């Protein structure tokens, strides 16, 4: 496996090998699927749209609907205005969504299509909406595209009427429906009125009923997005994913926001609960205290198995940052912490964590790739890898257990239904990590060292 | 009204005008002309991909010893990384690049100032890290727009590093589907690879063309061919290699499995090197038997014919019991089948041998000849959207051209039903009354499901869960749902077992919650408190 990867790390300035990120539009598509009655639309050639739908479907094992402008060579030269106009008419005619959320690809961005103009010219059925965002694939990553699409919804729809609605606006970050459900459960337990944008729960984890529904029950409604402008305040979960949309809402509707890391692990979940607590000013319900205490109990009980175990953590910036914080809380050493998404905030925040927990010899790198991570591991291995499916080849090549967390996970089932955020999510994450480490001990130890009780 | 009319009627007049030529009902005695290989209607939710997918994803990507660099932003390379199951094995002499995704990962500055410098540097880095024998460059959408000259860079790199460097201008917007990409890949292999090797010809040599070894299909096919006594020079391109394809011109016969993606090379190799080609089909026991017997007729060697019958008898006997028990489960069921450009036809006969009739079928990007047969080739007019896909012409190679069989011998074979340079398309095997939709879309999928109610629907990942959610069993016929092989005799049994499993899994009986089926009981039982 991966036999051609040399141990010696050479400097690369042009060749990307085995990337740890993908391009903007798929993030925009995922964000748009978290809006109720929304059909994501890819303004480019149709290959992108097919690839992105496929990517999401493989991760969620659920349908991911989206349409395309289906550029031909002619449109690529003369502009895609006619394609978009035709597409909008056909989409409302045939599929009847409440809203079409347009994103772009490197094709329409390179030719400089003016989406704002096209949408103004398009015939939009009364009571329906078309919004857009620009998502050039040659800038940032799918995380950037996700943030851009959420900002796009706000720019087009959110309004401040001056009448506050008493709600908290929540940007959940690039997470699974299972995580969004967990965030909502916590907020409901605490009695917080909120609007979450986007919300893919009930869309990308919808049930088998025997009837296919193109627009399932879930998703943030257009009315809720409009009313976001009247929220008391906003919570941006995941600095590198959610701060841009929160900023957009503040700029447009003067809704103040607070940025927090994704609530993964103890301290980050504590910070989330504290922020909610400041918002509602009620006592934190015992149910959450109990969960927190259970989590700490588990962490203490099992600490001999996690203490000073080394990990390589890879994936999307906010998720990786969250997992890094949690493994440090577990007494582990996050030896390699990498994301494919560019941006110095990541390096800064992870370095702060290294310093806070006083771990030595750990490496952080943004805009990195799996090839580089593999080379580091070849030179100095780790006890466990934590990240998405593509890490499995490295894990197999170097005989390291892989804990699947993040995007994309396209070779296992169930994961997207269950959280890694909140105290409950942390329990799940610690179970996954401990099981990986302890299974390995069971497999590798001598027969006479094989333990029944652990 | 028949289902076709009901469904088409729901379209606006403009869309109706377009789609009515692509959606037809098969009627006995009528010529059944279909419109295909035309541009997709914007916004209709097609299942099609692009030219890059057809070139890099399908034809070039599987070449195991070729380091294929995607020149573009990161997405295209990422999405085609390990997701099409074209299996390959490396060894001490063959580097296998299948586990790698190489990309120039273009950034904004590359769009503004051009990506040529970065591509050159990426090639240099690939050479230094991997020392490949051959590098391929695959273009994505922005490359053509900003004017990067990948062909000049390839020529320069070839000189500089003393290796083969192939360039493919397969920008996603070219043509109307994956199909343009196949053609571009075929041209590149024909111009730069095929015929450049110097191996000595071997007796009973064949090439397996348009076989991408999904789930090991090619290996299963090769296993059977080797048992009979054939020598497989090269496979295009599943588990295929640059090294083997160089010598493909030394084979006597090209076996064309996927007509759509590789017929260009088959034709050109006949003209240039005199290699004959026949349409074979190794999907399903009946088709496999016919193909093996057609090959035996072509080579016309008594020992080969004897081995052919012996192998057929043994292989068939090994699966007979399993096939019969699956048939008992499946007989009388109906199916829909929508795959890219060839499987929709190939699987019809395998399903028939299991007692399953196909009532609904189509291709994403087949051309009219894949539906109607090659005899309509002369009547197909290229439209504006595809005319920029280069068509190359080749001439007899004075050094390597060799006539295998005389034109009279070929005529005699054709007369005996051996498909030499022939393909009769899906029409040959689809049943009367079946509905065909070309470039199928989400709407038509949902609608025809309602009206035709097939027991099982074969297609791809994008609509698998749509169909399953509707209560209809669904198996993927691109990825085989991570199973396979499905080719040859053993593959047919794998397929039959998988289809029977899909239809009989216990979950189907649990879909409706019990409280939706029965009225709630009221009152108390046995003195217990009612709850």
């Amino acid at each position: 496996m991966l036999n051609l990867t040399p141990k010696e790390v050479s400097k690369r300035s042009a060749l990307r090998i085995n990337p740890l990120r993908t391009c903007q539009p798929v993030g925009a598509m995922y964000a748009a699927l978290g809006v109720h009655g929304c059909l994501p639309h890819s303004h480019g050639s149709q290959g992108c749209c097919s690839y992105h739908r496929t990517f999401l479907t493989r991760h969620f094992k659920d349908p991911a609907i989206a349409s395309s402008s289906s550029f031909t060579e002619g449109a690529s030269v003369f502009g895609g205005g006619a394609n978009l106009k035709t597409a909008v008419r056909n989409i409302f005619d045939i599929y009847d969504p409440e809203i079409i959320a347009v994103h772009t690809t490197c094709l329409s961005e390179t030719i400089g299509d003016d989406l704002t103009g096209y949408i103004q010219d398009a015939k939009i059925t009364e009571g329906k909406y078309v919004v857009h965002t620009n998502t050039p694939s040659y800038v940032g990553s799918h995380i950037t595209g996700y943030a851009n699409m959420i900002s796009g919804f706000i720019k087009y729809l959110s309004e401040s009427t001056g009448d506050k609605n008493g709600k908290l606006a929540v940007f959940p970050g690039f997470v699974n429906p299972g995580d969004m459900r967990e965030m909502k459960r916590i907020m409901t337990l605490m009695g917080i009125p909120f609007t979450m944008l986007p919300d893919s729960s009930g869309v990308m984890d919808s049930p088998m009923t025997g009837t296919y529904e193109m627009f399932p029950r879930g998703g943030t409604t257009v009315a809720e997005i409009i009313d976001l402008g009247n929220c008391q305040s906003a919570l941006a979960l995941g600095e590198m994913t959610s701060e841009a949309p929160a900023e957009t809402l503040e700029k447009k509707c003067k809704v103040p926001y607070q940025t927090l890391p994704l609530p993964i692990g103890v301290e980050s979940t504590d910070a989330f609960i504290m922020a909610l607590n400041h918002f509602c000013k009620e006592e934190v319900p015992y149910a959450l205290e109990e969960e927190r205490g259970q989590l700490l109990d588990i962490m203490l009980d099992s600490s001999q198995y996690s203490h000073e175990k080394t990990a390589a953590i890879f994936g999307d910036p906010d998720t990786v940052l969250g997992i890094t914080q949690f493994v440090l809380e577990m007494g582990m050493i996050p030896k390699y912490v990498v994301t494919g998404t560019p941006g110095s905030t990541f390096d800064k925040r992870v370095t702060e964590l290294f310093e806070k927990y006083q771990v030595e010899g750990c490496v952080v790198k943004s805009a990195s790739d799996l090839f580089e991570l593999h080379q580091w591991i070849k030179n100095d291995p780790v006890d466990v890898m934590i990240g998405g499916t593509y890490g499995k080849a490295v894990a197999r090549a170097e005989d390291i257990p892989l804990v699947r967390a993040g995007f994309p996970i396209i070779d296992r089932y169930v994961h997207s239904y269950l959280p890694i955020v909140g105290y409950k999510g942390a329990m799940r994450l610690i179970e996954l990590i401990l099981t990986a480490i302890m299974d390995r001990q069971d497999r590798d130890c001598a027969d006479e060292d094989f333990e029944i009780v652990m | 009204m028949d289902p076709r009319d009901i469904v088409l009627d729901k379209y606006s007049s403009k869309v109706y005008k377009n789609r009515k030529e692509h959606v037809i009902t098969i009627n006995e005695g009528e010529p059944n002309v279909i419109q295909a290989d035309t541009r997709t209607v914007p916004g209709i939710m097609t299942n099609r991909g692009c030219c890059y997918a057809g070139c890099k994803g399908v034809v070039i990507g599987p070449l195991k010893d070729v380091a294929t660099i995607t020149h573009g932003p990161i997405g295209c390379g990422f999405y085609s990384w390990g997701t099409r199951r074209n299996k390959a094995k490396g060894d001490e002499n063959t580097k296998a690049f299948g586990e790698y995704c190489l990309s120039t990962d273009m950034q904004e500055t590359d769009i503004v100032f051009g990506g040529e410098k970065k591509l050159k540097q990426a090639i240099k880095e690939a050479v230094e890290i991997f020392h490949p024998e051959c590098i391929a460059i695959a273009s994505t959408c922005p490359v053509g727009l900003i004017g990067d000259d990948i062909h000049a860079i390839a020529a320069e790199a070839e000189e500089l590093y003393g290796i083969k460097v192939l360039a493919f201008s397969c920008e996603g917007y070219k043509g109307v589907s994956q199909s343009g990409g196949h053609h571009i890949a075929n041209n590149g292999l024909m111009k730069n690879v095929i015929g450049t090797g110097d191996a000595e010809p071997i007796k009973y040599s064949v090439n397996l063309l348009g076989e991408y070894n999904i789930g090991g299909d090619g290996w299963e096919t090769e296993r059977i061919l080797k048992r009979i006594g054939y020598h497989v020079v090269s496979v295009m391109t599943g588990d295929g290699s640059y090294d083997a394809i160089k010598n493909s011109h030394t084979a006597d016969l090209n076996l064309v499995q996927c007509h759509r993606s590789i017929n260009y090379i088959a034709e050109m190799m006949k003209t240039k090197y005199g290699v004959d080609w026949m349409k074979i089909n190794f999907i399903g026991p009946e088709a496999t038997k016919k193909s093996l017997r057609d090959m035996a007729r072509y080579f016309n060697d008594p020992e080969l014919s004897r081995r052919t019958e012996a192998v057929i008898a043994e292989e068939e006997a090994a699966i007979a019991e399993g096939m019969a028990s699956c048939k008992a489960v499946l007989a009388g069921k109906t199916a829909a089948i929508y795959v890219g450009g060839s499987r929709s036809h190939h699987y019809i006969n395998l399903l028939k041998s299991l007692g399953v009739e196909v009532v609904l079928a189509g291709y994403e990007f087949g051309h009219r000849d894949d539906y109607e047969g090659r005899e309509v080739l002369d009547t197909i007019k290229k439209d504006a959207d595809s005319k920029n896909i280069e068509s190359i012409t080749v001439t007899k190679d004075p050094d390597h051209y060799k006539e295998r069989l005389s034109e009279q011998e070929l005529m005699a074979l054709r007369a005996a039903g051996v498909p030499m340079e022939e393909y009769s398309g899906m029409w040959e095997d689809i049943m009367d009354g079946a509905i065909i939709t070309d470039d199928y879309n989400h709407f038509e999928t949902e609608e025809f499901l309602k009206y035709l109610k097939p027991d099982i629907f074969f297609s791809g990942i994008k609509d698998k869960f749509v169909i399953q959610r509707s209560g209809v069993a669904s198996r993927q016929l691109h990825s085989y749902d991570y199973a396979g092989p499905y080719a040859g005799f053993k593959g047919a049994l794998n397929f039959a077992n998988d289809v029977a499993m899909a239809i009989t899994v216990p979950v189907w009986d649990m879909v409706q919650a019990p409280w939706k089926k029965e009225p709630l009981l009221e009152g108390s039982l046995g003195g217990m408190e009612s709850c």
Side-chain angles (χ1 to χ4, degrees), chain A residues 242-288:
Chain A
S242 298
E243 195 160 67
E247 238 175 50
T248 308
L249 184 64
E250 185 184 51
K251 235 181 244 167
K252 190 177 176 198
C253 304
K254 312 263 180 309
V255 177
Y257 70 90
Q258 182 188 358
T259 305
L260 288 176
L262 280 181
I264 298 174
V266 183
E267 203 179 298
S268 302
T269 304
D270 286 351
F272 176 52
I273 305 243
M274 287 295 281
L276 298 176
N277 194 226
H278 283 139
F279 184 82
C280 73
K281 301 185 176 66
E282 303 265 337
E283 212 170 314
V284 175
Y286 176 69
L288 287 172

Side-chain angles (χ1 to χ4, degrees), chain B residues 343-378:
Chain B
R343 287 195 181 92
S344 297
H345 177 196
H346 293 148
Y347 279 83
I348 287 174
N349 286 326
L350 173 49
L351 286 165
K352 266 188 205 163
S353 63
L354 293 164
V356 180
E357 271 302 347
V358 170
V359 294
L360 180 62
Y363 294 124
E364 280 175 44
F365 49 75
H367 296 199
R368 278 185 57 204
D369 41 321
D370 303 301
Y371 289 103
E372 301 172 44
R374 282 178 69 89
E375 59 269 22
V376 303
L377 273 175
D378 292 339

Side-chain angles (χ1 to χ4, degrees), chain A residues 113-148:
Chain A
D113 264 1
D114 169 24
L115 271 289
T116 312
Y118 293 163
I119 290 171
Q120 270 162 6
D121 293 346
K123 259 176 77 183
I124 301 167
T125 320
E126 180 85 26
K128 304 273 180 178
Y129 301 86
V130 179
V131 302
H132 99 275
T133 190
N134 293 89
T135 49
S137 318
Y138 43 76
V139 177
S141 74
H142 57 295
I143 296 296
T144 322
Y146 184 79
N148 283 345

Side-chain angles (χ1 to χ4, degrees), chain B residues 89 100 102 104 125 137 147 179 244 302-303 309 369 392 445 489:
Chain B
K89 252 192 286 210
Y100 293 88
L102 311 181
T104 54
E125 289 170 9
I137 305 158
S179 182
E303 175 55 17
E309 292 308 322
D369 41 321
I392 59 170
T445 303
F489 296 96

